[in-house]
Amino acid sequence: MLNNIIEVKNLKKAYHDGLEATVALDGVSFDIRKGEFVAIMGPSGSGKSTLLHLLGLLDISTSGSYHFEGKNVVTFSGNELADLRNKKLGFVFQSFNLLARTSVLENVKLPLVYSDVPEGQWDELAIRAVEAVGLSHRLNHDQSELSGGERQRVAIARALVTNPEVIFADEPTGNLDSKSGKNVMSIIQDLNERQGKTVILITHETSTADHAERIIRLIDGTIESDTKVKNRLTAADEYVK
C-alpha cells in the first residue's frame, strides 16, 4: 500500500558459526504505516534487536523481503544504503553514544558531516534540533556535564537533525530514572503526534510500549501477537516538570 513506509514479508535471519546455525528471526511479516508509532517487545533472545538492525539497514536478512518506501532494500548499493540511513532514518540508543569531550552542539551536528547539507547550514539545523528537545541552555556544554536524561535528549536531537522519516528508539529509557524516562518518552511521542514522524520503539517495558499505537510481540524469532494499544498514553500524560 502507498501509505506503508515499511513492508516486511517472511523475513528471516540466521547466524552461522561453523556448521551451526542460530535462527534469530524466523519468517516475520508486517507493515508499518507512515506516521505510525509501533513498539516491538519481547524477552531477551526473542529477535527484537535483530529486527531493529534489519529495519534500520544496519544488517541484511538471510531471506524474505523488506521494502522501504515501496522499494526492495536488496536493490540498493552500499552507498545508497548509507545515504538512506543518513537521510531517512534516525537512531536513539540506550547507551546515548555521544562523543566524549564534545559539546552538545557538536554532537548534534555529527550526522550532517555525512550528509549533502551545506556546512553553512549545520549550526542552524543543530540549534533547531536542540531547541526541539528543550536544551538550548545546554548548547555549548560538554556532554559529560549533562544528566542521563539530558544526554538522551541530545541523542534524540542528533537523530532529528537530518529530519528523518523514521526514528528508531532502542530501549531509550533503559539507563534513565523514572522521571527522566517519562520526559524522554514525552518528547518521542510528541515527535510522532505533532511532526508525524514514524517511530519504531524497542522496549521490554510495558509502560514505555503503551505510548505506541500498536505493539508487536516477538518470541523465539516469530511474531506472537500484533495488537493495537487500547489505552494509549499521551505526551501530556508523561511529562514531568
Side-chain angles (χ1 to χ4, degrees):
M1 295 177 61
L2 292 177
N3 65 340
N4 287 335
I5 193 167
I6 286 173
E7 297 174 340
V8 168
K9 188 172 183 181
N10 200 29
L11 205 64
K12 297 184 179 181
K13 180 65 179 180
Y15 297 97
H16 295 271
D17 182 12
L19 297 177
E20 296 288 328
T22 300
V23 178
L25 282 178
D26 193 12
V28 300
S29 300
F30 58 86
D31 299 332
I32 294 177
R33 292 181 290 101
K34 182 177 173 64
E36 193 172 13
F37 190 152
V38 178
I40 298 173
M41 298 189 72
S44 178
S46 62
K48 59 185 186 294
S49 293
T50 298
L51 182 56
L52 169 72
H53 282 81
L54 296 180
L55 297 180
L57 306 176
L58 301 170
D59 198 0
I60 57 174
S61 64
T62 303
S63 63
S65 66
Y66 171 22
H67 286 75
F68 184 85
E69 293 186 328
K71 298 178 181 178
N72 195 327
V73 300
V74 299
T75 65
F76 293 109
S77 67
N79 286 338
E80 288 172 327
L81 286 173
D83 192 53
L84 191 60
R85 280 194 301 270
N86 183 263
K87 291 181 178 178
K88 298 282 189 174
L89 311 180
F91 297 89
V92 181
F93 295 103
Q94 178 179 351
S95 56
F96 316 140
N97 293 343
L98 301 181
L99 295 176
R101 297 179 297 280
T102 306
S103 71
V104 168
L105 179 62
E106 293 302 317
N107 265 289
V108 174
K109 280 165 54 175
L110 184 61
L112 298 172
V113 175
Y114 305 100
S115 73
D116 53 10
V117 175
E119 187 173 355
Q121 298 177 22
W122 291 0
D123 278 1
E124 178 185 352
L125 291 173
I127 290 169
R128 192 181 305 163
V130 173
E131 288 174 347
V133 299
L135 283 180
S136 298
H137 61 295
R138 295 293 218 175
L139 192 66
N140 296 307
H141 283 66
D142 189 285
Q143 64 92 19
S144 63
E145 301 176 273
L146 308 182
S147 68
E150 288 173 329
R151 291 182 193 181
Q152 193 60 293
R153 285 154 69 185
V154 174
I156 294 170
R158 183 182 56 194
L160 283 176
V161 74
T162 56
N163 194 30
E165 292 289 337
V166 183
I167 296 174
F168 292 96
D170 187 8
E171 300 281 7
T173 63
N175 283 336
L176 305 179
D177 60 63
S178 177
K179 177 180 176 181
S180 297
K182 287 181 178 181
N183 288 344
V184 162
M185 286 311 304
S186 175
I187 291 170
I188 290 174
Q189 188 160 9
D190 194 61
L191 294 172
N192 171 251
E193 293 174 353
R194 293 179 181 269
Q195 297 189 29
K197 300 295 182 187
T198 304
V199 176
I200 299 175
L201 170 72
I202 306 296
T203 183
H204 67 278
E205 299 173 337
T206 301
S207 60
T208 302
D210 282 344
H211 285 272
E213 301 170 71
R214 170 182 165 204
I215 299 176
I216 297 174
R217 297 181 188 273
L218 297 179
I219 187 166
D220 297 331
T222 63
I223 294 178
E224 179 185 42
S225 63
D226 185 344
T227 58
K228 294 286 186 181
V229 176
K230 291 182 179 179
N231 298 305
R232 186 187 182 196
L233 292 172
T234 68
D237 289 333
E238 286 294 74
Y239 184 71
V240 181
K241 293 183 180 180

